[in-house]
Amino acid sequence: MIKVENLSKKFDGKLAVDQISFEVGVGETMVLLGTSGCGKTTTLRMINRLIEPDGGSVYIDQENVGGQQPELLRRRIGYVLQNHGLFPHYTVLENMSVVPKLLEWDKEKIRNRSMELLDKLKLDSTLGKQYPSALSGGQQQRVGLARALMADPPILLMDEPFGALDNITRADIRREFTELDELAKKTIILVTHDIQEAFEMGDKICLMDKGKVMQYGTPEELLFKPQSAFVASFLKEHKLLLELKFLKMGGHTAWELLEQLELGKLKEILFTLEG
Ligand SMILES: Nc1ncnc2c1ncn2[C@@H]1O[C@H](COP(=O)(O)OP(=O)(O)OP(=O)(O)O)[C@@H](O)[C@H]1O
Ligand SMILES: [Mg+2]
């Protein structure tokens, strides 16, 4: 559904994104993983043309997005911004209404869809009248997602959607999000610097460093067949826990077997080691 080919972007003569390529199938979740400044946000924003590339192409449904009107393109692509990106002077409902208003939905349709999504994302309907500053970090992230889902776009770009949260809230919201019916059929590109998150959510992972793709493949491929010393060392500290979650033994993962043995304590210890 999405094909990125040799995409590059320079800022002030310096390559922020350097000839990156990947493909995302319909309904897949692809994770862009890498440390701060490696070019994840820049890559994401070239897909919905908030940034124009200096080289390479992006195809959606085999059509080059370079030839499409950015406004029309963005109606098909939901975008969850890094640090939620809510408009501070708009209420929650006003934030959620931005795209529907562009699409000239009537007031009732906007209201009904807003209420539906607030409910699905476990946000009290009274929060609709609040400004983002009155919401907790977790609530802001949920509103950011609700806003991107309003017009039910087939593609969703999510930039660190769980970024500003503590580890426990992060894991909880992540689990909730993956169970949402609204997300089930979407083609998603998710940006994160969190290795656990990438392996938990990605059908494919694109590991980036300094604007380049270091390895692109399934979580299992990155874990068990790292293509370079960089990839192996990037995953090193998480390797044990990830292997327990991915290594299959008689149809179960090692992690599931530990759970069945109720070795809860061992899991806790591993989590602690994981930091
Ligand atoms: N508008 C801009 N002007 C100049 N340089 C920029 C601009 N946007 C990004 N850069 C530079 O490009 C590089 C990649 O930035 P980008 O925001 O894509 O990184 P990132 O992987 O999303 O990082 P983070 O995890 O911190 O969000 C960085 O070195 C950044 O300083
Ligand atoms: Mg970023």
Side-chain angles (χ1 to χ4, degrees):
M1 186 163 204
I2 305 172
K3 186 173 173 188
V4 165
E5 225 171 47
N6 299 325
L7 209 55
S8 296
K9 179 71 192 176
K10 268 186 201 158
F11 291 115
D12 312 318
K14 211 175 146 249
L15 277 164
V17 173
D18 189 357
Q19 302 240 12
I20 85 158
S21 303
F22 54 75
E23 284 180 39
V24 193
V26 178
E28 275 186 353
T29 298
M30 207 279 292
V31 174
L32 286 176
L33 172 66
T35 50
S36 183
C38 74
K40 305 180 296 293
T41 298
T42 308
T43 302
L44 210 59
R45 286 171 156 257
M46 288 193 278
I47 294 169
N48 64 5
R49 293 192 61 192
L50 284 167
I51 295 178
E52 291 300 330
D54 291 319
S57 316
V58 176
Y59 299 89
I60 292 180
D61 288 333
Q62 279 144 30
E63 262 183 73
N64 192 330
V65 303
Q68 297 174 28
Q69 262 192 358
E71 294 72 24
L72 290 178
L73 178 73
R74 278 176 225 141
R75 287 180 194 177
R76 293 196 285 146
I77 306 179
Y79 181 33
V80 182
L81 284 89
Q82 192 162 11
N83 304 320
H84 69 74
L86 298 172
F87 300 118
H89 304 299
Y90 283 11
T91 64
V92 165
L93 284 179
E94 285 164 354
N95 265 286
M96 291 171 72
S97 308
V98 174
V99 171
K101 278 185 179 157
L102 287 174
L103 297 173
E104 298 180 350
W105 288 11
D106 64 47
K107 272 191 179 154
E108 201 186 331
K109 187 173 172 188
I110 298 179
R111 188 160 183 85
N112 290 342
R113 179 67 175 149
S114 303
M115 289 303 147
E116 180 185 24
L117 280 173
L118 286 179
D119 182 50
K120 280 187 180 176
L121 289 168
K122 303 203 172 119
L123 290 161
D124 196 288
S125 60
T126 56
L127 288 179
K129 292 196 180 72
Q130 299 281 1
Y131 289 91
S133 58
L135 272 55
S136 74
Q139 288 169 330
Q140 290 170 351
Q141 308 261 10
R142 287 164 198 264
V143 175
L145 178 64
R147 180 174 65 175
L149 288 172
M150 281 295 278
D152 198 18
I155 296 173
L156 204 56
L157 308 178
M158 303 171 92
D159 198 346
E160 299 271 8
F162 317 106
L165 306 172
D166 61 85
N167 275 341
I168 294 169
T169 313
R170 203 178 163 95
D172 282 349
I173 293 196
R174 193 157 77 211
R175 205 162 305 121
E176 260 179 52
F177 276 23
T178 47
E179 286 164 8
L180 264 185
D181 63 336
E182 295 268 347
L183 292 181
K185 289 192 185 118
K186 300 218 183 294
T187 304
I188 297 173
I189 299 185
L190 182 132
V191 162
T192 186
H193 61 268
D194 182 321
I195 296 177
Q196 287 296 331
E197 190 164 296
F199 277 74
E200 208 172 289
M201 304 204 65
D203 298 307
K204 300 259 180 64
I205 296 174
C206 179
L207 175 57
M208 295 176 67
D209 186 48
K210 301 191 185 89
K212 288 197 168 74
V213 176
M214 292 290 115
Q215 187 164 349
Y216 167 61
T218 62
E220 287 86 349
E221 283 166 348
L222 268 79
L223 191 58
F224 298 114
K225 291 178 194 158
Q227 277 171 2
S228 63
F230 175 89
V231 179
S233 113
F234 191 89
L235 301 178
K236 201 167 125 205
E237 281 178 26
H238 295 254
K239 203 165 163 53
L240 174 60
L241 188 50
L242 290 173
E243 282 176 353
L244 287 172
K245 286 186 177 173
F246 281 88
L247 208 61
K248 289 261 167 38
M249 300 178 190
H252 295 278
T253 64
W255 188 258
E256 283 163 355
L257 289 176
L258 284 180
E259 272 181 333
Q260 281 169 17
L261 290 168
E262 291 178 12
L263 292 177
K265 262 276 165 275
L266 179 58
K267 264 177 63 180
E268 261 174 49
I269 293 164
L270 285 169
F271 257 130
T272 318
L273 285 175
E274 190 67 20

